[in-house]
Amino acid sequence: MHFDGIEDDATATVYDITGRKLMEATVKSGESLNVADLAKGVYTLITVSENRTFKTQFVKSKTPSLHETQGKLLTP
């Protein structure tokens, strides 16, 4: 997942379809959150900055092979 337009540092949290928290990271505009280790499925991303909260769902449709992930920041 790539983040653009974030004014301040934000906390990005990924949840699975059951609401279980899978990962959390502090992100800045222009940075990416590596979701390569997530299995295929539907996820919810909640991004919280100082004055805004965004909630987005995304579908991870492919689990990349080790060869495809070496040295790359991946987005779904």
Side-chain angles (χ1 to χ4, degrees):
M1 305 297 292
H2 188 78
F3 297 88
D4 281 324
I6 298 173
E7 296 170 8
D8 302 310
D9 290 356
T11 301
T13 308
V14 176
Y15 298 89
D16 68 12
I17 196 78
T18 67
R20 183 175 53 138
K21 182 170 35 172
L22 301 177
M23 65 173 55
E24 184 173 88
T26 300
V27 294
K28 298 177 183 183
S29 189
E31 291 185 341
S32 295
L33 180 65
N34 189 339
V35 295
D37 290 339
L38 296 178
K40 295 178 188 177
V42 177
Y43 298 91
T44 300
L45 171 68
I46 298 178
T47 307
V48 179
S49 66
E50 190 172 312
N51 17 340
R52 293 187 186 192
T53 299
F54 296 97
K55 181 177 181 182
T56 305
Q57 284 194 319
F58 67 93
V59 176
K60 176 91 183 306
S61 59
K62 179 182 177 189
T63 303
S65 68
L66 179 62
H67 174 73
E68 292 174 308
T69 62
Q70 290 179 338
K72 297 179 182 176
L73 291 176
L74 300 179
T75 57

